[in-house]
Amino acid sequence: MSIPLTSVAHAAGAPAASAAERVSELQARIHGMQRDRWDAGGRPVSGVLAGLLPDGILRTGVVYTVDNSTSLIMAVLAAATVDGGWGAVVGLPDFGAEAAIGFGIDLERIVLVPSPADQWLAVTAALVDVLPVVVVHPQRAVGDAEAARLAARLRQSGCTLIVAGTWPQGEAALRVTDTRWDGLGAGHGYLAGRDVTVHVSGRNGSGRRRSTLVHLPEVATPGEAAGPRLDSGRGGRARAGIRQRAQS
């Protein structure tokens, strides 16, 4: 950031009182420019996510990581686009349409790039310039320099990046630590949903840490094992099975 030399010269040649006023004015301008650039605010979220995310908002211009739950990613994406906003999903070929709809995601406003191969970072960088929310599954480890360059683009555009995996310099890390299914009766019934315990830690694993219980609908998501499903047939025979999803 540069300050015009004429402004400094004017302040230097002015009386002491005027110089002090000028310095205060310049400091206020610098503070305002930094606030506009670094504190872009965020999108308020409702329901359980309000208690899950720091300050109850999905901040703009930052990165969130979710490293072990496609369902939780969908829940965050749904909250981020509930007002009709657009989003993108990069590098998740098993991102299921049925599951997304079950979370309330409008697929007509989601750009899907399922298999970008080694161009995934370039594709992500292009999308964060034009869309408010982007989800990406990194195809390899990202270095600090690459993360810093993308972070600068996020701050400039105001995009929120949700990473399915690990990422340096993240705003917060979300991880499912426990799952409990519900909806089953005594030998019969269908899964109605599940309660998951989500652990949240602050920037780079530091700061405030907490665990929150979140209820998610029972929808098919890749990379996660579902609980048992019991169906009573016409002959009264109960069938139990465990559906296993392929790893994403």
Side-chain angles (χ1 to χ4, degrees):
M1 180 183 302
S2 61
I3 299 174
L5 294 178
T6 54
S7 298
V8 177
H10 176 74
S18 298
E21 293 174 358
R22 186 61 176 168
V23 169
S24 297
E25 179 185 347
L26 291 173
Q27 289 176 336
R29 289 173 56 189
I30 292 171
H31 179 72
M33 294 173 68
Q34 290 175 332
R35 183 179 63 249
D36 291 342
R37 181 169 182 176
W38 302 109
D39 296 332
R43 304 173 183 85
V45 292
S46 60
V48 294
L49 288 179
L52 181 64
L53 298 176
D55 301 322
I57 61 174
L58 191 70
R59 292 182 58 81
T60 56
V62 300
V63 178
Y64 293 90
T65 64
V66 183
D67 67 351
N68 68 336
S69 175
T70 306
S71 292
L72 186 56
I73 289 174
M74 288 186 177
V76 177
L77 180 59
T81 57
V82 69
D83 59 353
W86 282 77
V89 179
V90 180
L92 283 173
D94 295 324
F95 188 86
E98 180 182 352
I101 293 172
F103 276 92
I105 298 173
D106 184 359
L107 292 180
E108 292 186 355
R109 305 184 73 84
I110 299 296
V111 177
L112 297 176
V113 188
S115 301
D118 58 354
Q119 297 298 312
W120 68 272
L121 188 56
V123 171
T124 301
L127 289 172
V128 302
D129 286 341
V130 295
L131 297 178
V133 184
V134 175
V135 175
V136 62
H137 178 216
Q139 305 301 300
R140 58 171 175 79
V142 175
D144 289 338
E146 292 175 314
R149 286 193 293 270
L150 189 57
R153 300 180 79 150
L154 291 171
R155 290 192 295 268
Q156 187 174 35
S157 66
C159 175
T160 300
L161 184 66
I162 303 169
V163 175
T166 59
W167 191 268
Q169 306 171 16
E171 175 72 13
L174 288 68
R175 181 177 179 83
V176 172
T177 59
D178 187 45
T179 300
R180 185 182 66 185
W181 296 88
D182 62 24
L184 294 175
H188 65 279
Y190 291 88
L191 293 171
R194 52 181 157 165
D195 294 323
V196 297
T197 301
V198 180
H199 180 76
V200 183
S201 59
R203 185 186 299 272
N204 295 325
S206 62
R208 181 182 176 187
R209 301 185 183 189
R210 61 192 180 279
S211 293
T212 305
L213 191 65
V214 177
H215 183 78
L216 299 177
E218 159 44 354
V219 292
T221 56
E224 297 172 287
R229 184 178 217 166
L230 303 182
D231 301 325
S232 297
R234 290 186 178 181
R237 183 181 61 183
R239 301 185 303 274
I242 297 179
R243 294 173 295 171
Q244 202 76 16
R245 271 80 182 204
Q247 293 292 329
S248 57

